[in-house]
Amino acid sequence: MTPDLLIFFSLATVAVAAAIGMLLSRNAVYSALFLILNFATVAVFFLMLGAPFIAMAQVAVYAGAIMVLFLFVIMLLGAEELGSEGKGGWQRPVAVFLALALLAESAYLIFQRGDLVSMIQPAESGYANPQAIGEVLFSEFLLPFEVTSVLLLAAMVGVIVLTKEQKKKGKDAK
């Protein structure tokens, strides 16, 4: 076994354990922290594949911004402890069946395909680095990029206007 393959299997074990910990944890904050650990291991997978920009985007967007939003909502709603209601009784057997199907498929891919080393080789050097992404983004996809930025700006201005009007209505009612 090569060192890259050992690192891959170690990280895969951590990622699967974090995912299982996220699913089985009764505390929503701990579940969110397990999800952050899972996102971090996925970012390391991207680094191993030679995609540093995607790895940093994974950490910044998912482990950073999205998880801060999740934790903010959890704390705002006061839903730290998950209840053990008996709702969705049919979902548990379906989930177990799908998990077993995924496990069988993974075992087939790992043991029947054989050549695992070729599956995790890094991509060519010009793939997914910030310079290549920037060149493609600002040449071939300039119009969609600019349209997206204008839509995000309009959404931000709209939120500011709506919250300002609600604050005025709140002051007028008092």
Side-chain angles (χ1 to χ4, degrees):
M1 272 200 179
T2 65
D4 286 342
L5 199 58
L6 287 173
I7 293 171
F8 172 78
F9 281 128
S10 301
L11 286 172
T13 304
V14 170
V16 169
I20 290 171
M22 179 197 66
L23 291 174
L24 297 180
S25 178
R26 287 288 176 208
N27 190 322
V29 175
Y30 291 154
S31 291
L33 292 174
F34 279 124
L35 189 57
I36 289 173
L37 178 62
N38 194 299
F39 286 153
T41 56
V42 169
V44 175
F45 285 143
F46 283 130
L47 283 175
M48 287 177 62
L49 291 172
F53 182 77
I54 297 173
M56 288 296 98
Q58 172 81 15
V59 170
V61 173
Y62 292 112
I66 300 296
M67 289 314 299
V68 166
L69 178 68
F70 281 1
L71 288 173
F72 178 73
V73 169
I74 288 169
M75 295 300 179
L76 185 68
L77 296 177
E80 291 90 7
E81 291 294 325
L82 301 176
S84 59
E85 299 94 27
K87 297 179 182 176
W90 62 272
Q91 293 175 348
R92 187 173 301 253
V94 171
V96 169
F97 172 73
L98 291 175
L100 290 174
L102 178 65
L103 186 64
E105 182 181 358
S106 299
Y108 170 76
L109 287 174
I110 290 173
F111 297 115
Q112 295 298 322
R113 284 263 178 101
D115 190 20
L116 292 176
V117 176
S118 67
M119 288 184 194
I120 59 169
Q121 292 299 318
E124 63 269 6
S125 63
Y127 176 75
N129 62 14
Q131 182 179 359
I133 291 173
E135 288 174 1
V136 171
L137 186 64
F138 291 115
S139 62
E140 296 177 30
F141 298 104
L142 182 62
L143 181 63
F145 180 76
E146 291 298 327
V147 168
T148 303
S149 65
V150 169
L151 284 173
L152 289 172
L153 178 65
M156 185 174 59
V157 170
V159 166
I160 291 170
V161 168
L162 288 174
T163 56
K164 205 170 197 179
E165 287 180 7
Q166 288 178 353
K167 285 183 181 179
K168 280 185 183 179
K169 288 179 184 176
K171 287 181 182 177
D172 292 340
K174 289 181 180 179

